[in-house]
Amino acid sequence: MNAIEDADVLVARLRATFRSGRTKPIAWRREQLTRLRALFTENREAIADALHVDLHKPRAEAYATEVDFPVREIDHTLEHLEEWLRPEPVDPAALAHLPVGSSAGTRYEPLGTVLVIAPWNYPVQLLLVPVVGALASGNTAVLKPSELTPAGSALIARLVPQYLDPDAVAVVEGGVPETTALLAQRFDHIFYTGNGTVGRIVMRAAAEHLTPVTLELGGKSPVFVDRGVDLAVVADRLAETKFRNAGQTCVAPDYILTDPVTARALVAALAEAVEIRYGRDPQTSDTYGRIVNERHFDRIAALLSSGPIAFGGETDRADRYIAPTVLADVKPDAPVMREEIFGPVLPILTVADLDEAISFINDRDKPLALYGFTENETTRQRLADETSSGGIGFGLPIAHLRIPELPFGGIGESGMGAYHGPHSIATFSHRKARLDVPLG
Ligand code: NAD
């Protein structure tokens, strides 16, 4: 692929490495993970620089989300790898009908050669954290970074061959033609993160080869804010998680459901929280990001007229800047409620009570995440029991994805499959059944 190799030649080369057996020993997997760790720790500055060019990503945010987070995932994997890969015997009672001395169990085996396709919003992490699972499981992998963040893509293409086994891991840069050429090949798994339209293209291509897919998609993640909660705390946490990366986070709060009285007070608390975080003019703040490109800028700017602007609303196309914005009294059929916002615009919709909030959520596609701010245990339980979403978080949005023991993935329109920690091993391995019956 790239200028040097065609897609079929590249995949054949990685497949030959897999067939040689080199990637199966735990020692090889640990070595690759350790080198991947070094890629992050030795290139912190270069990663932050590239993300600043592509997204104006604040340095501290780049370290936290694009370096420290993957390093923690690698450390956790190195700590638990043998335990996760240990064969699991079945209860001997299940073998009572077989000759004495029979045993049975399952063990994970690597899949082969996998394809990882990543989007632009966290361009390093969303490409390389799946690779942690692919390598820990003993696979070879083709990595396709997003063309929308060219500095991050070029950096990965330069660093990966310096650190990882070049016959086992290859980076292919490019856009639709390159991805299309890759998708025509037979892989043993395709791990795609991005939007649902392309997710469907990926799944169609995978069907040709009966290749299993993981689709990490997006959607509108709702937030329910209960009466009587401490709105200063709620607003601070919402401002942090909604406006980080200028709202371009797949699990960012998308919209708020609350009662009319709480809505009014929440607007004031959010205005204060945004000012504390980004100052009076967020455009001059070092810690506030930009929209990835003009197409997305125009799309998000068009959503600003979806309801009364409570605060924010300023835009500067030349700088791809959209201010942290809250829209109040938004109607359920407003344009901003018809698509994933993926930008720094937070609509507030009013509902009479929890029942109406639950119906509102269940009337729409299953979200990637659902959040609740409430002190009431019954309310928490009802939200958890009576709705469906990829994950659910109370008290702090986004944080559930930083816990490697929790599966991270969507359901329905927000995706299929999951990863992180042991769930990545399950995704990138086959769980093989084995039965041993003595001959004598
Ligand atoms: P994107 O435009 O960078 O596309 C993602 C990948 O798909 C890229 O590598 C791109 O080259 C490839 N691609 C684009 N068009 C293609 C085509 N026609 N055929 C084949 N491949 C193609 O990123 P995006 O989709 O705009 O990313 C944003 C979306 O991703 C949002 O919906 C967001 O919620 C979702 N997302 C999900 C997660 C998650 O973990 N679930 C994380 C981040 C983003």
Side-chain angles (χ1 to χ4, degrees), residues 136-170:
S137 304
N139 299 290
T140 59
V142 177
L143 281 48
K144 165 61 188 63
S146 175
E147 69 278 22
L148 298 191
T149 36
S153 174
L155 182 69
I156 286 169
R158 181 167 67 76
L159 293 179
V160 164
Q162 283 174 25
Y163 284 84
L164 300 180
D165 182 342
D167 289 325
V169 183

Side-chain angles (χ1 to χ4, degrees), residues 91-373:
D91 181 350
L95 308 174
H97 60 294
L98 290 169
V100 175
S102 297
S103 64
T106 56
R107 61 177 301 141
Y108 282 133
E109 65 179 24
L111 296 172
T113 300
V114 304
L115 173 63
V116 179
I117 305 174
W120 50 266
N121 59 331
Y122 292 86
V124 178
Q125 182 222 121
L126 291 173
L127 186 70
L128 294 182
V129 171
V131 172
V132 174
L135 293 174
S137 304
N139 299 290
T140 59
V142 177
L143 281 48
K144 165 61 188 63
S146 175
E147 69 278 22
L148 298 191
T149 36
S153 174
L155 182 69
I156 286 169
R158 181 167 67 76
L159 293 179
V160 164
Q162 283 174 25
Y163 284 84
L164 300 180
D165 182 342
D167 289 325
V169 183
V171 178
V172 173
E173 289 194 84
V176 176
E178 288 78 6
T179 320
T180 305
L182 285 172
L183 287 173
Q185 306 304 311
R186 183 171 72 79
F187 286 94
D188 299 293
H189 193 93
I190 300 177
F191 190 104
Y192 169 80
T193 304
N195 67 74
T197 305
V198 176
R200 284 168 169 80
I201 294 173
V202 169
M203 202 166 167
R204 255 180 238 124
E208 275 308 305
H209 302 285
L210 286 181
T211 297
V213 293
T214 302
L215 299 179
E216 294 280 342
L217 310 177
K220 293 181 82 60
S221 297
V223 182
F224 176 73
V225 181
D226 206 358
R227 272 191 193 96
V229 290
D230 183 337
L231 289 179
V233 172
V234 173
D236 176 56
R237 293 182 185 177
L238 282 173
E240 183 202 342
T241 54
K242 172 70 189 186
F243 299 120
R244 176 192 302 169
N245 206 29
Q248 301 162 114
T249 301
C250 57
V251 278
D254 189 275
Y255 64 92
I256 296 198
L257 296 172
T258 192
D259 66 274
V261 175
T262 308
R264 272 194 296 280
L266 183 60
V267 165
L270 278 166
E272 207 175 317
V274 166
E275 191 174 325
I276 291 170
R277 201 161 276 281
Y278 301 115
R280 272 174 189 266
D281 180 7
Q283 192 168 8
T284 60
S285 162
D286 288 342
T287 59
Y288 189 66
R290 294 295 182 270
I291 305 307
V292 65
N293 58 25
E294 271 144 23
R295 181 170 62 83
H296 279 283
F297 175 93
D298 292 341
R299 180 186 62 77
I300 301 162
L303 300 178
L304 291 171
S305 52
S306 290
I309 293 179
F311 67 84
E314 301 82 11
T315 63
D316 178 351
R317 193 171 193 269
D319 190 24
R320 301 195 319 262
Y321 167 78
I322 297 180
T325 300
V326 168
L327 304 178
D329 292 325
V330 172
K331 300 290 165 257
D333 58 351
V336 76
M337 292 305 295
R338 289 191 214 132
E339 61 181 85
E340 178 183 7
I341 299 168
F342 223 56
V345 181
L346 182 60
I348 300 182
L349 289 85
T350 54
V351 285
D353 52 23
L354 179 64
D355 286 328
E356 195 181 327
I358 289 175
S359 297
F360 190 95
I361 294 161
N362 289 338
D363 281 346
R364 288 163 176 75
D365 290 334
K366 293 182 180 183
L368 185 55
L370 169 63
Y371 303 115
F373 286 97

